Amino acid sequence: MSLNRRNFLSRTVAAAAVAVPGSGLLLIELARARPPDEAASSRQRWGLLIDVDQCVDGCSACVEACFIENGVYGHGRPATDAQWIRKVTVKDKQTGFTQSFPVMCQHCEYPPCVDVCPTGASFRRADGIVLVDKHTCIGCRYCMMACPYKARSFLHEDAHDQKPYAPRGKGTVESCTLCVHRVDTDRIPACAEACKEQGHEAILFGDLKDPDSEISQRLAARPSTQIRSNLNLNTGVRYQGL
């Protein structure tokens, strides 16, 4: 991409707000999921705690809830279908012990996807949620290559029946938004809600900066780990029992 095109894109986004067809809402505002006069605050850092011991093998309630909530659907092509969240199974080669747990965007404090993005489409909010601005994403997929968690997908197909709060666009990259539209209205992400409704309670959402929050107290009470902790990304998603 030439420098002139890059400048054009950034100036266009800064100068004009483009409406989502038929919605009457601004895509840039939706991507940041807060009204213009209310900024995300660094007083919070939103995150998830996954208790692998409570995650039931074969259960996909979190995946289904995410896809329904955000209007993500497949086309029968696993290699290219979007995966905002997925269940993975790991096996100890020596003992044969297996574990199943969900993996999604880890909402890193130092996100590699943001570092490599040439247009600034990948960004991290002050409260720790990592998002993609669909207006400035040019589909270069550098962020997909940089993500060590394979948490981002490229939308190859036309998007239909979109949710007004979760805009999607062919030729852009997307990933778990931590259900930012829910978070900003004091609700928990769809995956955590669905898991709780199933009685498994393997996914806990909360403020990692609040020492009195349930997530902080559970992290203080039991050891936890980060996937690829050696990268020192300080992820917002932690795992216990892994």
Side-chain angles (χ1 to χ4, degrees):
M1 182 180 66
S2 70
L3 183 61
N4 288 337
R5 174 170 168 75
R6 185 179 304 175
N7 288 338
F8 170 78
L9 287 169
S10 61
R11 290 173 183 172
T12 301
V13 171
V18 182
V20 178
S23 70
L25 299 175
L26 300 181
L27 186 56
I28 294 174
E29 291 178 9
L30 288 169
R32 300 183 190 277
R34 280 180 180 268
D37 59 346
E38 185 181 348
S41 172
S42 60
R43 290 189 299 271
Q44 294 87 28
R45 189 190 176 188
W46 302 117
L48 296 173
L49 174 60
I50 313 295
D51 188 339
V52 179
D53 292 332
Q54 299 296 322
C55 188
V56 177
D57 187 22
C59 176
S60 60
C62 58
V63 177
E64 294 168 3
C66 170
F67 287 6
I68 292 172
E69 177 73 21
N70 295 289
V72 180
Y73 47 84
H75 295 83
R77 292 183 279 275
T80 59
D81 278 349
Q83 288 187 316
W84 289 27
I85 179 175
R86 68 189 191 278
K87 287 288 292 290
V88 301
T89 300
V90 295
K91 181 177 181 179
D92 187 317
K93 293 182 179 179
Q94 292 184 337
T95 66
F97 179 70
T98 61
Q99 291 178 296
S100 177
F101 52 89
V103 175
M104 67 289 284
C105 172
Q106 301 290 290
H107 298 280
C108 309
E109 182 177 7
Y110 309 107
C113 57
V114 173
D115 290 341
V116 302
C117 181
T119 66
S122 292
F123 66 97
R124 181 180 182 271
R125 296 202 326 178
D127 58 8
I129 300 177
V130 177
L131 299 170
V132 180
D133 188 327
K134 301 304 176 63
H135 273 313
T136 50
C137 177
I138 58 172
C140 67
R141 289 173 268 189
Y142 287 164
C143 61
M144 293 178 64
M145 292 182 282
C147 177
Y149 307 106
K150 296 184 178 180
R152 294 200 158 193
S153 301
F154 181 79
L155 188 56
H156 293 265
E157 312 285 349
D158 290 327
H160 304 287
D161 303 320
Q162 297 186 57
K163 306 290 185 179
Y165 49 77
R168 307 176 69 209
K170 182 179 180 180
T172 63
V173 174
E174 56 188 21
S175 64
C176 160
T177 65
L178 212 58
C179 283
V180 68
H181 60 284
R182 283 173 161 255
V183 174
D184 285 345
T185 54
D186 297 322
R187 294 183 295 160
I188 65 175
C191 60
E193 183 178 81
C195 186
K196 187 174 183 179
E197 289 176 351
Q198 292 294 314
H200 301 157
E201 299 190 4
I203 304 177
L204 177 65
F205 171 79
D207 182 2
L208 295 169
K209 284 189 173 182
D210 180 2
D212 295 324
S213 67
E214 183 180 357
I215 191 172
S216 293
Q217 291 179 355
R218 284 176 56 175
L219 284 168
R222 288 180 55 201
S224 64
T225 188
Q226 306 174 48
I227 299 179
R228 297 298 305 273
S229 59
N230 60 304
L231 298 177
N232 298 317
L233 301 177
N234 191 15
T235 60
V237 181
R238 302 299 176 93
Y239 292 82
Q240 288 182 333
L242 182 61

